[in-house]
Amino acid sequence: MINTFLFISFITGIAIGWYNIFSPFFIVLFAFLSFIVLFFTFLSCRESSFIISLVIFFTFLGSLWVMPYSFHKPSDFIDKESVFLIQVTSLPKEKYLKYIFYAQVRQIDGYPLSFRVKVNDFSRRDVQYRDIYLVKGRLTKFTFKKFCFYTLWLKKNAYLEKRSPNFIDNFIRNITYHIVLYFRKYLSDDAYGFLSAVFLGRRELAREQMKFVFRGAGIAHLFAISGLHVGLISSILFFILKIFRIKFRLRLLISIFFMFLYVLCTGGRPSIVRSALMFSFLGGSFFLKRRISLLDTLSTTGIVCLLLNPLWVFDLGFKFSFLAVFAILMGFSLFPLKSIGTKLFFVYIKGIFFSTLYVTIILLPLISFYFGKIYLLSIISNILLIPLFTFILIIGVIFLCFYFVPFLAEVLSEVVSVSVSFFMKLSFLLSSFRVSVIDIYFSEWLVFIYYIVIIGIVLCVFRERIRKFIVI
């Protein structure tokens, strides 16, 4: 449970540092003083004092960690000609005399920043996925429903200098290009865009109509590569390694290695990083032969994610990913899922139903606050579509494994294409119902009141079960 408090305090510290509540001098001073107090409370062997000082230290550590990014915000460079250091994070597409792609901004005029930007490149240079460039351009900002979207405009004669790529980026780019070309060669147009998006994270290859159908059916979360993908891929890899009679511990190590390779190939978004880290921590507990709390595992994962990038705390995918896992852990702790004899299929469907229900209850006000909509059929859509989605992913991974066997690749590609076609038709049918989506907006106060009520009900009704949940 202590890890949860540390996670919350670290998030609080990042917010304090980002919004400049204290000056940098006081943040450094308080961080140093809290470390001194932490050291002496550790020597005194007073557990309660040590925990309190540790929480305080993590708060100021969070402020200290985000400090390099807090001196300059993206809004400081709006409508100005600046020099940007960017890394291309999507496959460039040609459209109306320009190339369009997404990139991660690392620096502006030498100042460290980290945010995603859409690039309109009128210079039409040969820009490669995962490469790093120093460019001169103009940044613009568009605000829509509490979201800030940034666009970087590069003129026809814009300055563009390619930085020397490293081995990892070259390796990831080559793997991605090979897989995308393989999908393009064997799959139908819909299956190509679908599998590129849900397996590789290349959502720019999916048609806009497909994205619209996913949102309308309440299954847009399937586009976010997360625990479902990690679980399936690790299970298939475990099975393949078992065929070669590799010992369990070695299989686990190999799986962890490939999980992080998969994280890099899919762009390293918060949801997939969270899944891979949780998988690694649970695997590590097996090696150490220690029982580990799932709540502490989630909190430790959150701390590590924010150490990698403190600005992820403001990322919507980060918030939704951690809240969704927390909802599932807490929900199944309060209401354990009982098996129904040997009918595993019904247990699976029941698991999908309650997982979606718990996640919906927790995320409903945030979805309404950010998007102004509530998806009424999301539970039904998930029950009907997740089993088929899982089947498509499994066949997709097997299809990828038979890259060097053209005959089997063609057979499996037909299965994938037909399955995706059926999946899209069913999704379109669910999204076409008038009651599938309703427009409701939760204000900040309504969101606050909603969570206070939920917390109050849970604490009053399930006090004993909450105590068990804390140690699970």
Side-chain angles (χ1 to χ4, degrees), residues 438-456:
I438 57 173
D439 296 328
I440 293 180
Y441 172 71
F442 274 48
S443 66
E444 294 177 355
W445 278 107
L446 278 178
V447 173
F448 177 76
I449 293 170
Y450 179 93
Y451 283 121
I452 290 296
V453 171
I454 291 293
I455 292 171

Side-chain angles (χ1 to χ4, degrees), residues 216-218 374-378 430-438:
I374 293 179
Y375 299 89
L376 297 179
L377 296 182
S378 61
L430 291 169
S431 66
S432 63
F433 289 110
R434 291 185 178 180
V435 295
S436 62
V437 182
I438 57 173

Side-chain angles (χ1 to χ4, degrees), residues 155-221:
K155 295 179 180 179
K156 188 175 182 180
N157 59 346
Y159 172 79
L160 188 147
E161 176 189 338
K162 181 179 178 180
R163 294 296 176 92
S164 299
N166 57 47
F167 170 77
I168 294 177
D169 287 331
N170 275 333
F171 179 70
I172 293 171
R173 179 177 61 250
N174 291 334
I175 288 179
T176 302
Y177 282 158
H178 276 89
I179 294 176
V180 167
L181 289 174
Y182 178 61
F183 287 167
R184 176 74 279 178
K185 179 180 179 181
Y186 286 100
L187 299 174
S188 64
D189 290 342
D190 277 346
Y192 160 69
F194 181 93
L195 217 56
S196 297
V198 303
F199 182 74
L200 286 177
R202 303 273 56 86
R203 283 178 272 190
E204 64 272 13
L205 298 179
R207 294 186 295 113
E208 288 300 321
Q209 183 184 1
M210 182 180 294
K211 300 175 186 177
F212 177 79
V213 169
F214 268 59
R215 288 192 294 268
I219 55 169
H221 62 279

Side-chain angles (χ1 to χ4, degrees), residues 145-147 215 218-221 316 319-321 323-324 356-376 378-379 382 436-443 447 450-451:
K145 291 185 177 181
K146 302 185 183 298
F147 292 99
R215 288 192 294 268
I219 55 169
H221 62 279
L316 197 60
K319 298 173 187 176
F320 279 14
S321 179
L323 282 174
T356 308
L357 177 64
Y358 301 146
V359 171
T360 301
I361 291 173
I362 294 297
L363 295 185
L364 185 144
L366 287 180
I367 293 173
S368 175
F369 175 73
Y370 284 111
F371 302 106
K373 299 179 184 295
I374 293 179
Y375 299 89
L376 297 179
S378 61
I379 295 178
N382 279 277
S436 62
V437 182
I438 57 173
D439 296 328
I440 293 180
Y441 172 71
F442 274 48
S443 66
V447 173
Y450 179 93
Y451 283 121

Side-chain angles (χ1 to χ4, degrees), residues 74 84 103-106 108 113-117 139 150 311:
F84 298 79
Q104 188 72 19
V105 174
R106 293 186 173 185
I108 302 181
L113 286 99
S114 181
F115 64 98
R116 191 167 181 255
V117 54
L139 187 68
Y150 296 97
L311 297 185

Side-chain angles (χ1 to χ4, degrees), residues 342-357:
T342 56
K343 298 178 180 178
L344 296 179
F345 177 76
F346 293 104
V347 177
Y348 175 66
I349 296 299
K350 195 175 178 181
I352 295 174
F353 171 80
F354 282 107
S355 296
T356 308
L357 177 64

Side-chain angles (χ1 to χ4, degrees), residues 54-84:
L54 186 62
V55 169
I56 295 173
F57 172 70
F58 262 73
T59 302
F60 289 107
L61 179 63
S63 300
L64 199 63
W65 208 255
V66 78
M67 187 186 296
Y69 301 96
S70 65
F71 295 119
H72 295 277
K73 308 293 195 303
S75 55
D76 298 337
F77 302 92
I78 297 299
D79 291 325
K80 298 178 182 177
E81 283 285 333
S82 303
V83 178
F84 298 79

Side-chain angles (χ1 to χ4, degrees), residues 190 194 210 213-214 420-429:
D190 277 346
F194 181 93
M210 182 180 294
V213 169
F214 268 59
V420 169
S421 177
F422 179 71
F423 182 93
M424 292 306 303
K425 289 178 181 177
L426 186 56
S427 300
F428 180 78
L429 177 64

